Amino acid sequence: MTIRFTKHQIAVMQTALDRWGVNAQAGQTVEECAELIVALTKHINRTPKPESLENVIDEMADVEMMLAQMRLVSGISDERLHEQIARKFEKLERHLKNEKETNAL
Ligand SMILES: [Mg+2]
């Protein structure tokens, strides 16, 4: 499920960063996250339709591309991100286990 970008796509993202600057791209990242929030909210809160799912996918793609650019400028390695994700999974698993034990009482 990991999003992988080609060398060409990474070069295009670097060109965008060079052309528009980090601040503009960081602002665009925030904007794309907000658009994903709206798309998900509409898809969940209304009767799900194929077009609303397409909109979610479209905004997810925007967010993935912007997050990749933020990782490029911050020099966050795959390894560092995977370490953090592993910690988050440990926390999630603890939470799921505790919830299961609480419900069993
Ligand atoms: Mg968008």
Side-chain angles (χ1 to χ4, degrees), residues 30-83:
V30 172
E31 189 175 319
E32 297 299 349
C33 288
E35 289 176 2
L36 178 57
I37 290 167
V38 172
L40 280 168
T41 303
K42 285 181 178 176
H43 185 65
I44 292 166
N45 288 348
R46 300 175 186 168
T47 304
K49 293 178 181 168
E51 53 268 29
S52 66
L53 181 59
E54 281 304 310
N55 196 32
V56 168
I57 294 167
D58 187 72
E59 297 305 339
M60 281 181 171
D62 286 341
V63 168
E64 291 286 357
M65 290 172 65
M66 296 315 302
L67 290 179
Q69 289 179 55
M70 294 301 97
R71 288 181 59 201
L72 278 174
V73 293
S74 354
I76 299 170
S77 68
D78 287 352
E79 184 181 55
R80 178 68 189 87
L81 193 57
H82 283 295
E83 285 170 8

Side-chain angles (χ1 to χ4, degrees), residues 5-21:
F5 294 97
T6 65
K7 285 182 180 177
H8 175 71
Q9 290 168 331
I10 291 168
V12 171
M13 289 190 287
Q14 188 60 59
T15 301
L17 284 162
D18 294 342
R19 181 160 310 164
W20 295 311

